[in-house]
């Protein structure tokens, strides 16, 4: 049986710890001169990316290749794919190749869940509109685990465009699942309606970051604001009031960001390059955790085959 990864809520704390353990092994593989293992030899992984992506797409592609899987990369623009029939047809077409895993990024919330109806492959949600981004959450958690040696009890403040961020949604739930203390810090216009249901403290001032261990910055998702009134007067204004520079970060604090970063908007260029920034560690952890995720999705199926 294959396992889908659609939401961070699909995973228990024990699952996440297991993924960390697998990732530790894959980090070790990444340090070798020959960085390839035969784990998924003969398996097919399709990366279906219907929204722009640099690091998530390249990270999944390299993860699948390092596990020796056959990989197909399909990239499309958001305009060529619409919900309903066309997504169904895309998945049914890909199903003819009998893939083992489809890693999917799509502009619409729930697209990856819908895809599970039309394929026997495991579906990994690599971002569905403003919905969820569970593999980002896992790589963030793994980065924190590697940096601090634990996650329990750490305080983290997520700053910025909470309104349109799938990363904020997945991370909030994942961080709490791993015992972290989460707060959101944003202008009132960048907080989604109904946020009270998330049961998380919200602050409208950067002072709320003073006592956190980790500051997690989010990118202003202007591409999702199409045609609507911008929630902040201008990026310049936003950066003046909400942008972070090294002077605003305390010595022991660490800074994270899912990327792509906008230097000079949510953080200054010198903060991005500062030792306290974990941004490039996140990318490194991302490759290892995505290898672990691909294996985790097929572990049940691999086990059944070896018993047969
Ligand atoms: C994030 C995304 O696509 O949701 N980026 C990523 O996966 N590396 C965050 C963002 O685009 O701001």
């Amino acid at each position: 049986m294959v396992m889908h990864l659609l939401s961070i809520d699909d995973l228990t704390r024990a699952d996440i710890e297991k993924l960390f353990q697998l990732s530790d092994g894959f980090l070790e593989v990444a340090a070798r001169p020959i960085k390839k293992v035969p784990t998924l030899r003969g398996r097919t992984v399709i990366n279906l990316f219907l929204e722009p992506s640099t690091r998530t797409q390249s990270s999944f592609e390299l993860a699948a290749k390092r596990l020796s899987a056959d990989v197909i990369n399909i990239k499309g623009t958001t305009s060529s794919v619409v919900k309903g029939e066309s997504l169904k047809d895309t998945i049914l077409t890909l199903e003819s190749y009998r893939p083992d895993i489809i890693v999917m990024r799509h502009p619409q919330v729930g697209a990856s869940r819908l895809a599970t109806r039309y394929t026997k492959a495991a579906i990994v949600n690599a971002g569905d509109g403003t919905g969820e981004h569970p593999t980002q959450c896992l790589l963030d958690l793994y980065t924190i685990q590697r940096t601090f040696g634990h996650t329990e009890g750490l305080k983290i403040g997520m700053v910025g465009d909470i309104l349109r961020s799938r990363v904020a949604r997945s991370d909030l739930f994942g961080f709490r699942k791993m015992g972290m203390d989460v707060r959101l810090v944003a202008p009132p216009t960048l907080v989604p309606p109904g946020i009270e249901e998330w049961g998380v403290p919200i602050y409208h001032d950067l002072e709320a970051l003073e006592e956190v261990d980790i500051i997690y910055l989010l990118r202003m998702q202007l591409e999702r604001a199409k045609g609507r009134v911008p929630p902040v007067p201008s990026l310049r204004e936003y950066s003046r009031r909400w942008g972070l520079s090294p002077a605003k970060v305390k010595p022991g604090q660490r800074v994270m960001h899912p990327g792509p970063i906008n230097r000079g908007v949510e953080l200054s260029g010198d903060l991005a390059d500062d030792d306290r920034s974990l941004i490039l560690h996140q990318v490194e952890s991302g490759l290892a955790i995505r290898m672990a995720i691909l294996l985790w999705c097929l572990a049940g199926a691999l086990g059944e085959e070896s018993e047969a």
Side-chain angles (χ1 to χ4, degrees):
M1 202 186 69
V2 299
M3 300 285 276
H4 303 297
L5 177 55
L6 305 177
S7 159
I8 196 68
D9 269 340
D10 293 342
L11 301 174
T12 61
R13 188 171 175 145
D15 290 330
I16 296 174
E17 278 158 3
K18 173 77 192 159
L19 283 165
F20 287 173
Q21 220 177 52
L22 289 171
S23 305
D24 287 344
F26 290 133
L27 270 185
E28 219 178 279
V29 171
R32 296 180 194 161
I34 294 176
K35 303 171 175 57
K36 212 169 167 117
V37 287
T39 322
L40 295 189
R41 192 163 49 201
R43 311 280 155 177
T44 304
V45 176
I46 299 182
N47 287 322
L48 176 64
F49 276 69
L50 302 173
E51 237 192 11
S53 174
T54 307
R55 67 223 79 217
T56 308
Q57 197 277 332
S58 58
S59 174
F60 269 113
E61 180 176 348
L62 193 55
K65 286 180 170 163
R66 289 200 170 167
L67 291 169
S68 306
D70 295 319
V71 191
I72 304 175
N73 294 303
I74 302 169
K75 298 178 197 172
T77 59
T78 53
S79 58
S80 65
V81 175
V82 285
K83 208 168 126 187
E85 284 299 274
S86 67
L87 173 64
K88 174 177 171 178
D89 284 334
T90 308
I91 301 295
L92 286 176
T93 304
L94 296 175
E95 182 62 4
S96 314
Y97 302 138
R98 299 184 188 274
D100 297 283
I101 302 177
I102 301 177
V103 179
M104 198 174 141
R105 171 166 289 194
H106 193 282
Q108 256 130 4
V109 177
S112 49
R113 194 170 296 279
L114 190 63
T116 61
R117 293 197 204 160
Y118 307 116
T119 176
K120 292 195 185 74
I123 299 280
V124 177
N125 180 6
D128 61 333
T130 53
E132 276 229 43
H133 196 350
T135 72
Q136 179 69 43
C137 172
L138 290 167
L139 80 85
D140 290 336
L141 279 168
Y142 187 48
T143 305
I144 295 166
Q145 172 73 29
R146 287 177 66 203
T147 306
F148 291 85
H150 65 104
T151 55
E152 188 70 43
L154 289 173
K155 288 199 172 89
I156 188 162
M158 300 185 79
V159 190
D161 192 349
I162 314 285
L163 178 66
R164 293 167 298 208
S165 175
R166 54 192 172 206
V167 174
R169 223 172 307 277
S170 286
D171 276 12
L172 166 65
F173 295 111
F175 290 163
R176 288 206 297 209
K177 198 179 289 244
M178 297 308 283
M180 294 175 66
D181 175 340
V182 190
R183 60 185 58 194
L184 304 177
V185 186
T189 48
L190 285 179
V191 167
I195 193 156
E196 307 73 39
E197 288 165 28
W198 297 9
V200 62
I202 302 158
Y203 299 87
H204 302 303
D205 200 302
L206 286 184
E207 269 178 26
L209 295 176
E210 268 172 24
E211 65 212 43
V212 301
D213 302 294
I214 305 158
I215 301 175
Y216 195 105
L217 298 170
L218 295 163
R219 183 178 63 88
M220 188 70 79
Q221 312 250 323
L222 287 182
E223 76 279 16
R224 298 195 195 283
K226 290 173 221 126
R228 298 196 206 117
V229 182
V232 288
S234 72
L235 284 185
R236 204 154 152 202
E237 176 103 345
Y238 177 82
S239 121
R240 208 171 42 79
R241 170 105 168 67
W242 296 93
L244 240 71
S245 59
K248 293 186 189 162
V249 177
K250 294 213 171 142
Q253 289 182 323
R254 312 311 290 265
V255 177
M256 296 176 71
H257 191 306
I261 59 172
N262 286 325
R263 284 178 189 252
V265 181
E266 63 269 11
L267 80 173
S268 64
D270 46 354
L271 180 58
D273 301 328
D274 193 283
D275 281 351
R276 287 166 291 177
S277 156
L278 298 178
I279 300 171
L280 297 179
H281 293 247
Q282 288 171 268
V283 181
E284 185 192 52
S285 298
L287 176 57
I289 204 107
R290 282 174 175 134
M291 290 174 79
I293 290 165
L294 293 176
L295 176 56
W296 181 84
C297 286
L298 294 188
L302 296 173
E304 284 157 26
E305 281 159 28
S306 66
E307 276 163 30

